[in-house]
Amino acid sequence: MNWMHYGLAVVVALIACSLSDWLFMGVLFHNKYKEHPEIWRSSITEGGESKAIVWSTLFTLLTCVGFIGVCSIFGFTTVSRALALSLGIWISVPLPLLITNGFFIMIHPYVTLSHAAGWLAKLLICALCAGFLL
């Protein structure tokens, strides 16, 4: 494994994924979050979102490091193989989880849709970075 390429892929993926998260999980359907304000943490809305954003970014870093690492270790270093892996992961993990949460948590369906699309975008970004930069 070339550590320079790996590091570059992770950094590019982290920056692009952070922008993607901002779009899909913050901007898109923002007004729908207000339909059930009782499910959102009041400490975040009262004290600002900085702490939550930092933690979220650290978990996004974990996603980027993990996905690109798996691609590197198992030889998914072509764009098509990395994209196939990202779709497989999305279909088997975040999509069912988010849909199931949508059944039991009082959350607008558009928010669930936006978060599912955001996870797909995040995994596709990681796949493109792995495919092009590894």
Side-chain angles (χ1 to χ4, degrees), residues 15-53:
I15 292 168
C17 286
S18 294
L19 293 172
S20 171
D21 282 350
W22 169 77
L23 175 65
F24 285 101
M25 299 179 195
V27 175
L28 196 61
F29 305 123
H30 183 71
N31 60 330
K32 300 300 181 188
Y33 288 93
K34 297 176 184 175
E35 287 196 14
H36 302 289
E38 63 275 10
I39 66 166
W40 303 105
R41 294 183 187 271
S42 60
S43 62
I44 291 174
T45 56
E46 291 171 3
E49 297 179 340
S50 298
K51 190 174 183 180
I53 290 170

Side-chain angles (χ1 to χ4, degrees), residues 39-82:
I39 66 166
W40 303 105
R41 294 183 187 271
S42 60
S43 62
I44 291 174
T45 56
E46 291 171 3
E49 297 179 340
S50 298
K51 190 174 183 180
I53 290 170
V54 168
W55 279 105
S56 176
T57 303
L58 288 174
F59 282 109
T60 298
L61 175 63
L62 185 63
T63 300
C64 296
V65 167
F67 185 89
I68 294 170
V70 166
C71 285
S72 178
I73 290 167
F74 292 105
F76 290 92
T77 55
T78 64
V79 173
S80 61
R81 292 188 76 194

Side-chain angles (χ1 to χ4, degrees), residues 6-18 64 68 125 128-129 133:
Y6 179 79
L8 179 63
V10 168
V11 168
V12 171
L14 178 61
I15 292 168
C17 286
S18 294
C64 296
I68 294 170
I125 289 167
L128 291 172
C129 288
L133 298 173

Side-chain angles (χ1 to χ4, degrees), residues 88-109:
I89 291 172
W90 182 71
I91 288 169
S92 61
V93 182
L95 183 62
L97 177 96
L98 290 167
I99 291 172
T100 303
N101 284 347
F103 292 147
F104 295 101
I105 298 172
M106 203 168 30
I107 191 167
H108 196 282

